[in-house]
Amino acid sequence: MAPSKSDHPGDNTERDAPSRWEQDGGPEPSTSGSSTLDVRSRASSDVGHGNGSHGPIPVWLHESSKSFQWRWVPYRLRQFARAVAAWTQGPDPPQMQRITPFFPSIQEAPVRLIARYFPRKVQKAGLLGAFLLSWLLTFSLVLHHSASAGNIKGYGRPQPIWCGASYWSGGNSCGLNGNRCRPFDNAVQAFRCPANCKATHVLNPHAVGLQQINYQPFVIGGTPRNESSASEYIYRADSFVCQAAIHAGVISNQRGGCGVVKLAGEHGNFGSTKRNGIESIAFDVSFPKSFTFITGLSSNCIKDLRWPLLVVTVIFTTILSVCTASPAVFFPCVFTMLFFHVGLVSDPPTNTDYASLSSLIIGRFLPAAFVAAVFYRYSVKPQQENLSAYIERTILWLGGAWVGSLNNYTFVIIPIQRLTPSDLRAQPGARLALVIIVVALFAIALGQVWYLRLEGRLRRYLGIYGILASFLIFCVIIPTLNLRIHHYFLALLLLPGTRVQTRPSLLYQGILVGLFINGTARWGFDSILQTTSELRGPDGPLHSPLPNITSVIPTVSNITFSWALPSLKKGYDGISVLVNDVERFRWYRGEGEPEKTFVRREEREREYFRFAYMKGSGTADFTKAGVWEVDGLWREMEKGGS
């Protein structure tokens, strides 16, 4: 038996110093000369003898041998870690989340009705097959009707074009004096535009005179050609044709439409106007190529039928959701319907004919379906098993899936075009929007963490997301490659956390599935690791060296430029000069002195000059524009590229 307090009065010092037990992590040798160790168990301490004389419990008695190996960690920190570990384990027994439906008799009525009149599995399978065939026939017939381009009297069958089509390419792509982009006038073309072209924006800076245009529609001009034809609006040739047609009122943004464009040759002083929701860009000097639209035509052009098709697919998916109890029937059918609706109707790729478009979408569907089968097994099926709130599922899960699938409409107000550092810095409001999104996602994540803890799954999912976080960090540190989070990848990252059966999880999972569908149907499985050139795109800034203009000699009628020789070490062998956004001169090493004199083309017009190094026929970044004024003065170029 351990000695009592009265037997060894010298032990009072040891019992009154608990910090030494905790700091050292083990028992102290007795200072009273006794060979007996004074130890009390926690149980006996709790019972006691009524005199409150029991000493503190050594740390090594109420810690496991595994945790005691971490005795070098401060005791309070170990206590906190044990508390967190105990909290993440969740309650015992786990509290499995199940949705108790509102008005269950109403929500379950369609399923019961089908079970009553179609009790056998064969009958239900036949009913489902007939239902899906009805959707396929309706969808195909409306789509075929929409694909029919119709006819414009006197101009024939209109040619489908995409929203960003134009008659002029930027930089020096059209060659010296624009010769690669001829003819400049006396040509007409019947065209057909899809719906929602107003949402198409330029995603890299485009120079128009002194202006840098980015993250907006690209329509230059739109003022009347002359006083005698007030309704004949004239546009610079590099304007997006479909957006110019919306601006001119030839077609509508909601339904697209057909028209006839007429090349109008050289024109000057393109004014800025705002019509039909598009504000055009001004350009106050001449441009060699322009176009206008022929009005008053007779046609039987079929407009874009994406809205009638949306009604068709929404009705069929809603009926399926309300009348289906099995997740194994509900999810594959809805996924397939939404995928083909997005890929062929609401947000199709830029293919101009439906044969190539259908081939592309079928090719993207197969890998997308395989990935969908995986997250169905681990996220969708666990959430929707034994779910009887079918109307609530329709509103929350299916409604969320439609919101995500139609994100080219539903998320258009978010000022983030691409989730890259350069875009976040350049686009107004992008960083604030990203902060709001991150805060919202964090709040949602906290709610999902709580539900996963109640079900006893939190530790497993913390491990899963720890692995995903490590993978993302590894991707970030890979040299020469850049991490880009696409729609589909964001959905795959967040879907595992939505497996619990709660009403918020139904909504979150539906939105994420919709984002996955839109991302893969519209863009495919684009790589999450991309080179700088892939992120930049074909018209993005290269951040290359800019020519050094050593001298400028202006007069009223002519102006002479001299420049330093381009660096052979970097492979540059020439200089390209744009005048009023058209390439007017090229100089290469060995072709005379590095200088050029330009004669004013129009007496009463200023002229804009931009310079770029060349490698062969390709150019690096152009400088910002310098201005040769009408009175002969020269306004220097601002620093930086354009």
Side-chain angles (χ1 to χ4, degrees), residues 6 27 57 124 173 178 213 217 235 237 296 329 344 401 426 443 555 571 588 600 611:
S6 60
I57 305 302
K124 292 177 181 176
S173 300
I213 308 301
Y235 298 90
V329 174
L344 296 175
T555 67
Y588 290 96
R600 190 182 297 276
F611 302 82

Side-chain angles (χ1 to χ4, degrees), residues 14 32 56 80 94 106 150 217 234 263 309 346 382 445 464 518 521 629 642:
E14 298 299 323
S32 62
F80 176 76
I106 297 177
I234 194 80
L263 299 183
L309 276 168
S346 67
I464 293 173
N518 181 273
E629 298 287 1
S642 63

Side-chain angles (χ1 to χ4, degrees), residues 323-456:
C323 298
T324 304
S326 171
V329 174
F330 166 76
F331 178 76
C333 295
V334 169
F335 181 87
T336 302
M337 290 179 176
L338 289 179
F339 192 94
F340 281 96
H341 181 88
V342 170
L344 296 175
V345 181
S346 67
D347 196 10
T350 56
N351 298 62
T352 57
D353 64 278
Y354 274 91
S356 60
L357 177 61
S358 300
S359 175
L360 178 65
I361 295 305
I362 292 172
R364 290 178 176 178
F365 174 74
L366 295 177
F370 175 80
V371 176
V374 175
F375 65 69
Y376 165 77
R377 169 64 180 82
Y378 293 102
S379 296
V380 179
K381 181 181 177 182
Q383 182 198 74
Q384 299 203 10
E385 278 187 325
N386 302 316
L387 176 67
S388 59
Y390 306 118
I391 295 179
E392 293 178 64
R393 177 180 67 181
T394 302
I395 296 172
L396 297 173
W397 197 99
L398 183 60
W402 274 112
V403 169
S405 297
L406 300 175
N407 72 77
N408 55 319
Y409 290 96
T410 54
F411 295 158
V412 70
I413 61 173
I414 300 176
I416 299 178
Q417 296 291 339
R418 296 177 298 191
L419 201 58
T420 60
S422 59
D423 282 85
L424 293 175
R425 288 191 300 267
Q427 191 167 3
R431 283 178 285 189
L432 175 60
L434 181 62
V435 170
I436 295 174
I437 291 172
V438 170
V439 171
L441 288 177
F442 181 74
I444 291 171
L446 290 180
Q448 297 303 105
V449 164
W450 176 254
Y451 290 123
L452 289 171
R453 173 187 173 271
L454 292 180
E455 290 195 348

Side-chain angles (χ1 to χ4, degrees), residues 31-267:
T31 58
S32 62
S34 170
S35 60
T36 307
L37 185 62
D38 184 9
V39 175
R40 299 281 183 179
S41 69
R42 183 177 296 273
S44 63
S45 176
D46 290 341
V47 176
H49 296 285
N51 56 6
S53 62
H54 304 310
I57 305 302
V59 174
W60 49 272
L61 280 180
H62 56 79
E63 289 195 52
S64 67
S65 59
K66 185 176 181 181
S67 64
F68 192 65
Q69 293 174 3
W70 298 85
R71 59 184 178 274
W72 53 272
V73 179
Y75 176 63
R76 296 298 182 189
L77 186 56
R78 278 183 283 164
Q79 273 189 318
F80 176 76
R82 285 196 300 273
V84 171
W87 185 85
T88 58
Q89 190 171 2
D92 188 16
Q95 300 175 11
M96 307 309 292
Q97 303 300 300
R98 290 291 178 264
I99 294 177
T100 302
F102 300 113
F103 309 106
S105 59
I106 297 177
Q107 297 203 50
E108 298 171 12
V111 173
R112 290 178 177 174
L113 188 65
I114 292 175
R116 179 179 177 183
Y117 290 100
F118 300 89
R120 299 171 59 189
K121 288 186 178 181
V122 175
Q123 294 173 327
K124 292 177 181 176
L127 180 63
L128 177 64
F131 178 82
L132 295 178
L133 182 61
S134 299
W135 169 78
L136 181 61
L137 288 175
T138 306
F139 184 84
S140 301
L141 289 174
V142 177
L143 184 64
H144 176 73
H145 183 65
S146 177
S148 302
N151 183 73
I152 300 178
K153 187 176 181 179
Y155 298 94
R157 185 184 180 89
Q159 174 68 34
I161 60 175
W162 75 289
C163 293
S166 69
Y167 286 102
W168 193 276
S169 302
N172 74 333
S173 300
C174 283
L176 275 172
N177 302 314
N179 289 329
R180 294 179 189 166
C181 294
R182 290 184 179 274
F184 291 168
D185 57 6
N186 295 324
V188 295
Q189 180 186 6
F191 66 91
R192 184 187 182 204
C193 294
N196 199 35
C197 280
K198 190 169 69 175
T200 300
H201 291 177
V202 290
L203 299 180
N204 286 306
H206 283 59
V208 178
L210 289 174
Q211 306 169 79
Q212 294 291 313
I213 308 301
N214 204 2
Y215 305 115
Q216 68 179 72
F218 199 69
V219 177
I220 303 172
T223 50
R225 185 172 186 177
N226 50 56
E227 295 181 359
S228 61
S229 56
S231 61
E232 189 177 352
Y233 305 116
I234 194 80
Y235 298 90
R236 208 173 87 165
D238 51 350
S239 301
F240 293 166
V241 175
C242 290
Q243 290 186 343
I246 295 172
H247 183 268
V250 175
I251 65 173
S252 71
N253 182 61
Q254 289 74 21
R255 299 189 62 187
C258 301
V260 176
V261 63
K262 177 182 178 182
L263 299 183
E266 186 171 6
H267 187 77

Side-chain angles (χ1 to χ4, degrees), residues 39 54 61 83 85 133 152 177 201 224 245 279 282 306 319 391 415 482 496 505 572 586 622 631:
V39 175
H54 304 310
L61 280 180
L133 182 61
I152 300 178
N177 302 314
H201 291 177
E279 184 172 2
R306 65 181 59 191
I319 294 173
I391 295 179
N482 303 278
S505 289
Y572 299 124
R586 290 182 182 182
F622 282 91
D631 57 7

Side-chain angles (χ1 to χ4, degrees), residues 494-576:
L494 301 180
L495 271 170
T498 63
R499 67 164 288 158
V500 292
Q501 191 185 108
T502 62
R503 290 180 176 88
S505 289
L506 282 175
L507 177 63
Y508 305 151
Q509 189 178 97
I511 293 175
L512 292 174
V513 170
L515 286 176
F516 175 82
I517 290 172
N518 181 273
T520 52
R522 177 64 176 87
W523 306 104
F525 285 94
D526 205 5
S527 175
I528 63 171
L529 290 175
Q530 296 183 324
T531 63
T532 302
S533 62
E534 288 174 330
L535 282 178
R536 180 177 60 244
D539 58 350
L542 300 171
H543 304 291
S544 62
L546 301 173
N548 178 20
I549 307 301
T550 57
S551 71
V552 182
I553 305 175
T555 67
V556 173
S557 60
N558 60 66
I559 185 169
T560 301
F561 297 95
S562 300
W563 51 82
L565 294 176
S567 173
L568 288 176
K569 292 182 179 180
K570 297 185 178 180
Y572 299 124
D573 56 2
I575 294 285
S576 172

